[in-house]
Amino acid sequence: MTGGLPMEVPAPGLPARVRIHEVGPRDGLQNEPGVVPTGVKAEFVRRLADAGLDTVEATSFVHPRWVPQLADAEQLFPLVRDLDVRLPVLVPNERGLDRALALGAREVAVFASATESFARANLNRTVDESLAMFEPVVARAKAEGLAVRGYLSMCFGDPWEGPVPVERVVGVARRLADLGCDELSLGDTIGVATPGHVAALLTALGAAGVPASALAVHFHDTYGQALANTFAALQHGVTTVDASAGGLGGCPYAKSATGNLATEDLVWMLHGLGIETGVDLGRLTATSVWLAEELGRPSPSRTVRALSHKE
Amino acid sequence: MTGGLPMEVPAPGLPARVRIHEVGPRDGLQNEPGVVPTGVKAEFVRRLADAGLDTVEATSFVHPRWVPQLADAEQLFPLVRDLDVRLPVLVPNERGLDRALALGAREVAVFASATESFARANLNRTVDESLAMFEPVVARAKAEGLAVRGYLSMCFGDPWEGPVPVERVVGVARRLADLGCDELSLGDTIGVATPGHVAALLTALGAAGVPASALAVHFHDTYGQALANTFAALQHGVTTVDASAGGLGGCPYAKSATGNLATEDLVWMLHGLGIETGVDLGRLTATSVWLAEELGRPSPSRTVRALSHKE
């Protein structure tokens, strides 16, 4: 499909393999304006697994009032749970955890904020109150043998507060790790980070006892910085990267553009660096092209556009 | 405009200042489907200078048959030549150099290919023949006291030949440097490079006596890799980066998308890294928004879209 391109040229000091945490079906579809039929969602998750992604965040057990796009979590999860991939689901509280457990979920994620402003806007709580809410969720999930991921949003900048100090993020990250989260995903929710900022945060987290091996990075491409930031994170030992197939959820035509890093753009870079992902880029691109047709608009991923033009 | 964002966090080992070689009026407009009126072009160059860009490639003295978009070089150049910025122009041969000299150009650029296939497609010559054609151009330009840039295209991949070996690029670059070019711009014309490939090429060029200080990088965002590649180039000592205001010439809606790196996306990263550019990002973005209106289509730059949505 790409004439042997990208040419594989490793760079020193990078990992041999990166795990991509695919967030398209959850973070992507949650930020799309329309509601996608449950059957299409299930097909999407299946195709992502077929493309070689080994972790696909499937849905969210948030109250449907807040995220109507994912109100069908109970119907969707049974359609995909037998796939041979990791299928984490988002749970906001104990009620969400109950629903996920009842359906047989084996991995869950909680969603915290590094800033007070976003904690209030998104969770209607202070940071302290939200961590108190997560404490029993994480404890019960761990007791049930589930893997738990902690999302930490607004790790670099916040729309209300501006730049977010590194120490602030380290403090909340340390507390999420202490609750028992197996992995923390550092979110650049508004896409303002640059590579030096990424390096500084990862260095500070390492010094505070949260090593790169326990971290994932979750960059948004709002200002086009996501891949440069990812490269800096790889240079600092990170081996798990979040991305959204086709850049889903990052619709460049909507004012609400969040600009998720497209999995295809990430895979292009990783494969060019000779880093193994297990992903078949052609199949993944075909999946995003298919979903874009279902959604009725083109994918914002540059790689999807370039490869699908060539087809 | 951006609430103090991006936060400035330098990364170790990067330059304190980067010179941006703005290619929008030449490389950008040359690859747009329509022909822009001369007055709009002159206003574009003026606005870019006002935004703090100190090098603006103004036009091309290629035969109008090949590049009708820039057929007005003789009319345009006198409208901008008194601006207090560097205004290089592309000259393909001695005839082009004559035209540029007659108008008072102080800097010129020649355009070579690292691959035989593209030399034939673009210049209708072998690589040897094209270098022979440039030899008297560079010699006369130097004798007239002009600065000379050598573009070297297809440095990473070629649409006909696939991956381009590093040694091949080093060989042609060495010959261009020997002709007397003051600066070589390494072009990833089809956008396939990844950061390890960039590092390998820069290292090999350094070993062959072409140091980073004599180089510029010219990345295309076809697969979204341009900024990650730029970051890798900065880590290897490069301090001159080519970019196109608003991503001009990289129309994502056209099959011919070449995907120039948008100057705004580059400036966002450089300023975030605490690297001086002299550019006022707000003014630059306003310029790209203005030009996009003139062209009748939105800018493909993520930074332009994000900042103009906020206005």
Side-chain angles (χ1 to χ4, degrees):
Chain A
M1 187 176 205
T2 61
L5 299 168
M7 187 168 164
E8 274 189 29
V9 188
L14 298 187
R17 186 178 172 91
V18 159
R19 188 168 66 83
I20 298 176
H21 185 107
E22 169 61 47
V23 300
R26 199 276 303 167
D27 189 19
L29 293 183
Q30 160 177 343
N31 288 296
E32 288 291 320
V35 177
V36 174
T38 307
V40 172
K41 286 176 182 167
E43 175 74 11
F44 183 35
V45 173
R46 262 197 301 271
R47 287 187 185 222
L48 291 169
D50 281 350
L53 288 155
D54 51 27
T55 308
V56 182
E57 196 162 300
T59 187
S60 170
F61 290 93
V62 176
H63 194 289
R65 189 191 311 150
W66 307 122
V67 185
Q69 291 92 337
L70 305 182
D72 61 353
E74 251 89 13
Q75 291 74 50
L76 172 67
F77 198 76
L79 299 177
V80 299
R81 71 181 157 205
D82 294 330
L83 292 169
D84 189 24
V85 293
R86 296 171 61 174
L87 293 166
V89 295
L90 196 71
V91 296
N93 48 33
E94 289 196 87
R95 171 78 188 107
L97 178 62
D98 289 338
R99 293 167 63 202
L101 284 171
L103 292 168
R106 302 305 307 152
E107 297 200 31
V108 294
V110 296
F111 198 89
S113 168
T115 66
E116 293 293 346
S117 301
F118 189 64
R120 261 185 209 290
N122 196 47
L123 303 166
N124 200 26
R125 281 170 174 76
T126 66
V127 168
D128 281 349
E129 287 164 357
S130 65
L131 292 174
M133 175 173 70
F134 297 140
E135 190 172 0
V137 177
V138 177
R140 277 187 52 210
K142 299 294 294 177
E144 297 278 352
L146 272 58
V148 181
R149 154 178 269 224
Y151 278 105
L152 190 51
S153 53
M154 302 296 172
C155 287
F156 298 91
D158 174 290
W160 299 277
E161 300 182 18
V164 177
V166 161
E167 317 80 63
R168 170 86 203 161
V169 181
V170 170
V172 184
R174 191 59 266 177
R175 291 168 70 188
L176 270 176
D178 290 344
L179 287 186
C181 290
D182 301 289
E183 177 177 272
L184 299 185
S185 173
L186 306 172
D188 180 18
T189 317
I190 58 170
V192 297
T194 46
H197 199 166
V198 173
L201 178 57
L202 292 171
T203 302
L205 282 165
V210 186
S213 58
L215 294 170
V217 287
H218 184 108
F219 294 121
H220 281 198
D221 225 3
T222 320
Y223 298 89
Q225 311 294 312
L227 266 191
N229 291 338
T230 301
F231 183 63
L234 298 176
Q235 290 183 318
H236 284 77
V238 167
T239 60
T240 301
V241 181
D242 295 6
S244 178
L248 205 62
C251 178
Y253 312 106
K255 275 222 174 195
S256 61
T258 55
N260 269 313
L261 170 60
T263 312
E264 289 86 352
D265 297 11
L266 172 64
V267 168
W268 185 280
M269 182 176 83
L270 295 175
H271 288 187
L273 288 163
I275 296 172
E276 223 184 293
T277 67
V279 173
D280 180 320
L281 182 57
R283 277 193 186 188
L284 178 58
T285 300
T287 297
S288 292
V289 169
W290 162 78
L291 190 69
E293 280 163 15
E294 295 285 336
L295 295 175
R297 65 152 183 87
S299 160
S301 160
R302 301 207 190 260
T303 298
V304 170
R305 290 181 180 201
L307 293 180
S308 55
H309 279 149
K310 280 182 189 166
E311 271 165 351
Chain B
M1 187 176 205
T2 61
L5 298 168
M7 187 167 163
E8 274 189 29
V9 189
L14 298 188
R17 186 177 172 93
V18 159
R19 189 168 66 83
I20 298 175
H21 185 108
E22 169 62 45
V23 300
R26 199 276 302 169
D27 190 19
L29 293 183
Q30 160 177 342
N31 287 297
E32 288 291 319
V35 177
V36 174
T38 307
V40 172
K41 287 176 181 166
E43 175 75 11
F44 183 35
V45 174
R46 263 197 300 272
R47 286 185 186 222
L48 292 169
D50 281 350
L53 288 155
D54 52 28
T55 307
V56 182
E57 195 162 300
T59 187
S60 170
F61 289 93
V62 176
H63 194 288
R65 190 191 311 150
W66 306 121
V67 185
Q69 292 92 337
L70 305 182
D72 60 353
E74 251 89 14
Q75 291 74 51
L76 172 67
F77 198 76
L79 299 176
V80 299
R81 71 181 157 204
D82 294 330
L83 291 169
D84 189 24
V85 293
R86 295 170 61 174
L87 292 167
V89 294
L90 195 71
V91 296
N93 50 31
E94 289 196 87
R95 171 79 187 108
L97 178 62
D98 289 337
R99 293 167 63 201
L101 284 171
L103 291 168
R106 302 306 306 152
E107 298 199 29
V108 294
V110 296
F111 197 88
S113 168
T115 67
E116 293 294 345
S117 301
F118 190 64
R120 262 185 210 289
N122 196 47
L123 303 167
N124 199 27
R125 279 170 175 77
T126 65
V127 169
D128 281 349
E129 287 165 355
S130 64
L131 292 174
M133 176 173 70
F134 297 141
E135 190 172 0
V137 177
V138 177
R140 277 186 54 207
K142 298 295 291 179
E144 297 276 353
L146 272 58
V148 181
R149 153 178 272 225
Y151 278 104
L152 190 52
S153 54
M154 302 297 172
C155 287
F156 299 91
D158 174 289
W160 299 277
E161 301 182 17
V164 178
V166 162
E167 317 81 63
R168 170 87 204 160
V169 182
V170 170
V172 185
R174 191 59 265 175
R175 291 169 70 189
L176 271 177
D178 290 344
L179 287 185
C181 290
D182 303 290
E183 178 176 271
L184 298 185
S185 172
L186 307 171
D188 181 17
T189 317
I190 58 171
V192 297
T194 46
H197 199 166
V198 173
L201 178 56
L202 292 172
T203 302
L205 282 166
V210 187
S213 59
L215 295 170
V217 288
H218 185 108
F219 294 122
H220 282 198
D221 224 4
T222 319
Y223 299 88
Q225 311 293 312
L227 265 191
N229 291 338
T230 301
F231 183 62
L234 298 176
Q235 290 182 318
H236 283 77
V238 168
T239 59
T240 302
V241 181
D242 295 6
S244 178
L248 205 62
C251 178
Y253 312 107
K255 275 223 174 195
S256 61
T258 55
N260 271 312
L261 169 60
T263 312
E264 289 85 352
D265 297 12
L266 172 64
V267 168
W268 185 280
M269 182 176 83
L270 295 175
H271 288 186
L273 287 163
I275 295 172
E276 224 184 293
T277 66
V279 173
D280 179 320
L281 183 56
R283 279 194 185 188
L284 178 59
T285 301
T287 297
S288 292
V289 169
W290 162 78
L291 190 69
E293 281 164 14
E294 294 285 337
L295 295 174
R297 65 152 183 88
S299 161
S301 159
R302 301 208 191 260
T303 299
V304 169
R305 290 182 180 200
L307 292 181
S308 56
H309 279 148
K310 281 182 188 166
E311 273 165 352

